[in-house]
Amino acid sequence: MRVTFARPILNRLGAYVVFVTDGGKMSESANQLNKATKGSLKRALESSRFNGAEGQTLVVLGPEGVSAKQILLLGIGEPDKVGTLVAQSLGGAIYRVLSDSGLKSSSVLVDNIPGVKISNAEFAANIAYGCHLRSYRFDKYKTQEKSKDSPSLNSLAVMLKDVKGARRKFVPLQSVVDGVFFTRDLVSEPANVIYPISFVARLRSLTKLGVKIQVLDEKKMKKLGMGALLGVAQGSANAPRLVAMQWSGAPKSKETRPIAFVGKGVTFDTGGISIKPAGGMEDMKWDMGGAGVVSGVMHAMASRKAKVNAVGILGLVENMPSSKAQRPGDVVKTMSGQTIEVINTDAEGRLVLADALWWCQKRFNPHTVIDLATLTGAIIVSLGYHHAGMFSNNDKLADQLLVAGKATGEKLWRMPLGKAYDKQVRSQIADMKNVGGRDAGSITAAQILQRFIQEGVAWAHLDIAGVTWSKTDSATAPKGGTGFGVRLLDRLVTDQYESR
Ligand code: BES
Ligand code: ZN
Ligand code: ZN
């Protein structure tokens, strides 16, 4: 998708998009086009249910009197409710309606609408952003698709007077789009293509952006005593990797301790010897979603040259059953020295993160650690598909994350932690067991992670099992990998760590 910004002109081919507010009031550009088309738009409005409610669309085909082949009336709802998120959804709606219209290009006339609280430049940039995000496709393995069945729309001209302002606002958003697409690509790939070593190979593009990458292989991890991560990996023919990506963008005079993002990167989760049922197991190709998001947010920050020091850690393993696989009942020793009794080999994410989190803190001394993991099915029972679960030892960090979630539409819901839950993972023979029973499954998982967080480190754990993959289209994402977390964390960094 090519997005450009230009001053308004009315002689383009393709489609024109114009705004209508709640109650059917046409924008200035809509009125102009209405005149040029001898009242076609007004008649279309009067002959349908369309009334300008947010997200409503009405396409006028082959209008007379203008060069445009189609005019899309786009409802923007009540002007005072139009913010950046609404603008992004509107951009997504434009793509949804026009992508298979048969037209290659479209121009949206971003008029100044009285009552809209964001600047015209911001409105325009966010329409472009939403349209771009919605245009994602993962079609590399479709070899027989006819061109008539694939999207025709490949360029969007966003028209407004303040072209410069809109371009300036769009620059960082383009970086975020690239980061989100990087994540969606990783998450969408099947597990015969993305496994730990090939995942690492994909990260080379980050080096070009100035990200430093360190990779630990099995030998090094053994030396460091990462028995929990290695225990998960030992059943697979695909060797594990632990990755550190470093972005150092903070001015030299500022704080040097980094913020750290840690991702669960189980490139396929069969469950191991505690094997999962066959139905739906293919979904477990995206059990590396946390690692995908961490990679994407590093991509976004490096690409927009964020003024922050950040590290991204990925625990990359494949969880397979085999004669070499770990067994239920095995006891593993983590790098921290704590031992874990592995009751269920399908509760592997926490084992991987135990060592990844510990190494991250020892190696980089971060002030803040945020981990992301498709950790539990239980979080889907709790929150469904519309909030990720958040657990934190720090109210300030938790609040900042909640704010970033609301601002980006990647919403979080804070869940509790506490001693009573921690008791559920006591083991008879080791320091802990890796499952705490059926009750409060997401919380007991988080309790285990917290045992690997050092004193004084602000920590949040995001359980993204319900939001990493979507079975339905949303305003700004086609069904499939969502990239949930990239926008959220990029926003957190922008608002909390770059300005200080
Ligand atoms: N990767 C799964 C969690 C998951 C489930 C992610 C559904 C996405 C969608 C995780 O490794 C797992 O299997 N967790 C178990 C834990 C249980 C054995 C304590 C679960 O949630 O059932
Ligand atoms: Zn599992
Ligand atoms: Zn898993």
Side-chain angles (χ1 to χ4, degrees):
M1 185 80 191
R2 209 166 57 89
V3 177
T4 54
F5 295 93
R7 289 183 62 81
I9 44 167
L10 289 179
N11 60 357
R12 292 262 185 133
L13 299 168
Y16 268 98
V17 182
V18 288
F19 297 157
V20 180
T21 52
D22 220 17
K25 187 163 181 286
M26 291 194 285
S27 71
E28 221 178 288
S29 296
N31 273 316
Q32 256 175 309
L33 284 174
N34 184 50
K35 258 188 216 139
T37 58
K38 306 203 175 96
S40 305
L41 303 193
K42 186 120 196 293
R43 278 197 302 281
L45 261 170
E46 285 162 359
S47 341
S48 77
R49 274 187 168 175
F50 179 94
N51 65 357
E54 187 205 314
Q56 257 191 352
T57 54
L58 180 63
V59 181
V60 179
L61 299 170
E64 70 163 315
V66 290
S67 55
K69 298 266 189 284
Q70 302 186 13
I71 295 173
L72 168 61
L73 298 172
L74 179 61
I76 69 165
E78 293 170 38
D80 61 344
K81 298 216 172 98
V82 175
T84 52
L85 287 182
V86 169
Q88 289 162 29
S89 306
L90 294 173
I94 293 173
Y95 188 81
R96 173 174 52 80
V97 175
L98 294 177
S99 61
D100 55 4
S101 62
L103 303 174
K104 288 197 164 119
S105 69
S106 142
S107 310
V108 50
L109 292 157
V110 185
D111 289 18
N112 253 312
I113 307 286
V116 171
K117 297 269 178 6
I118 53 175
S119 74
N120 206 230
E122 191 147 34
F123 196 1
N126 278 281
I127 286 175
Y129 184 39
C131 186
H132 222 327
L133 284 168
R134 185 65 163 77
S135 74
Y136 177 79
R137 260 172 79 83
F138 188 78
D139 55 5
K140 64 191 279 196
Y141 299 117
K142 285 199 177 284
T143 66
Q144 291 171 356
E145 195 172 49
K146 309 248 167 30
S147 66
K148 72 170 178 37
D149 296 324
S150 65
S152 57
L153 193 72
N154 58 28
S155 78
L156 177 76
V158 181
M159 297 184 165
L160 76 168
K161 293 206 181 85
D162 186 8
V163 171
K164 260 194 184 164
R167 279 194 191 132
R168 202 177 315 121
K169 288 266 181 215
F170 187 65
V171 170
L173 299 180
Q174 175 69 59
S175 294
V176 179
V177 171
D178 294 344
V180 170
F181 283 16
F182 190 69
T183 302
R184 287 181 186 169
D185 281 346
L186 282 167
V187 166
S188 305
E189 287 285 8
N192 61 332
V193 174
I194 287 289
Y195 42 89
I197 288 176
S198 63
F199 194 124
V200 172
R202 286 274 175 121
L203 299 175
R204 295 298 164 203
S205 67
L206 288 171
T207 322
K208 288 189 208 119
L209 295 172
V211 176
K212 242 174 57 190
I213 298 183
Q214 182 190 358
V215 183
L216 303 190
D217 61 12
E218 267 170 304
K219 227 173 108 189
K220 289 195 185 117
M221 288 191 267
K222 219 174 236 160
K223 227 173 141 186
L224 288 162
M226 300 186 177
L229 189 154
L230 290 171
V232 176
Q234 76 188 35
S236 173
N238 284 311
R241 291 291 184 266
L242 185 63
V243 179
M245 301 172 279
Q246 254 180 294
W247 168 250
S248 306
K252 292 281 170 283
S253 57
K254 291 269 176 75
E255 164 143 29
T256 53
R257 284 178 82 189
I259 180 169
F261 303 114
V262 181
K264 167 178 172 181
V266 176
T267 58
F268 197 79
D269 181 11
T270 62
I273 296 298
S274 314
I275 198 160
K276 288 180 180 295
M281 203 203 274
E282 68 279 7
D283 280 353
M284 287 301 108
K285 73 172 184 180
W286 48 262
D287 206 22
M288 37 54 70
V293 172
V294 171
S295 308
V297 77
M298 294 306 290
H299 196 291
M301 289 189 300
S303 141
R304 66 176 183 79
K305 303 211 177 325
K307 292 187 183 55
V308 69
N309 293 342
V311 295
I313 309 291
L314 315 176
L316 301 173
V317 302
E318 187 179 60
N319 189 21
M320 297 290 270
S322 80
S323 65
K324 293 189 177 160
Q326 71 178 344
R327 295 146 290 256
D330 283 5
V331 174
V332 294
K333 187 164 190 175
T334 62
M335 182 188 170
S336 75
Q338 300 175 85
T339 54
I340 308 177
E341 185 185 7
V342 181
I343 299 294
N344 188 319
T345 63
D346 196 11
E348 83 297 340
R350 56 203 80 181
L351 299 172
V352 173
L353 287 173
D355 280 329
L357 286 167
W358 194 263
W359 182 69
C360 167
Q361 293 163 96
K362 282 287 175 221
R363 165 89 176 74
F364 295 102
N365 188 28
H367 53 78
T368 303
V369 174
I370 300 175
D371 77 73
L372 296 101
T374 49
L375 202 63
T376 66
I379 201 68
I380 308 177
V381 177
S382 303
L383 300 175
Y385 303 102
H386 307 294
H387 284 85
M390 179 199 15
F391 302 80
S392 182
N393 64 0
N394 184 293
D395 291 344
K396 188 170 158 208
L397 175 62
D399 288 343
Q400 290 172 344
L401 277 163
L402 287 173
V403 168
K406 283 196 182 125
T408 54
E410 296 189 332
K411 290 176 290 185
L412 304 175
W413 195 262
R414 190 170 180 185
M415 304 279 291
L417 288 163
K419 277 209 182 98
Y421 295 109
D422 197 64
K423 279 191 192 159
Q424 285 179 237
V425 299
R426 282 183 185 164
S427 156
Q428 235 180 63
I429 62 163
D431 297 332
M432 70 195 90
K433 51 185 183 181
N434 76 331
V435 292
R438 240 174 61 85
D439 305 335
S442 309
I443 307 175
T444 50
Q447 292 296 154
I448 292 175
L449 300 184
Q450 191 172 15
R451 290 175 176 228
F452 297 89
I453 297 300
Q454 291 166 15
E455 194 65 32
V457 174
W459 162 72
H461 154 58
L462 309 183
D463 193 334
I464 56 171
V467 294
T468 295
W469 191 267
S470 176
K471 290 189 196 117
T472 55
D473 294 343
S474 77
T476 52
K479 63 179 175 218
T482 60
F484 183 108
V486 175
R487 280 171 278 176
L488 170 84
L489 295 178
D490 182 81
R491 181 64 173 247
L492 178 83
V493 166
T494 304
D495 289 353
Q496 307 299 343
Y497 298 101
E498 287 192 80
S499 45
R500 67 181 197 188

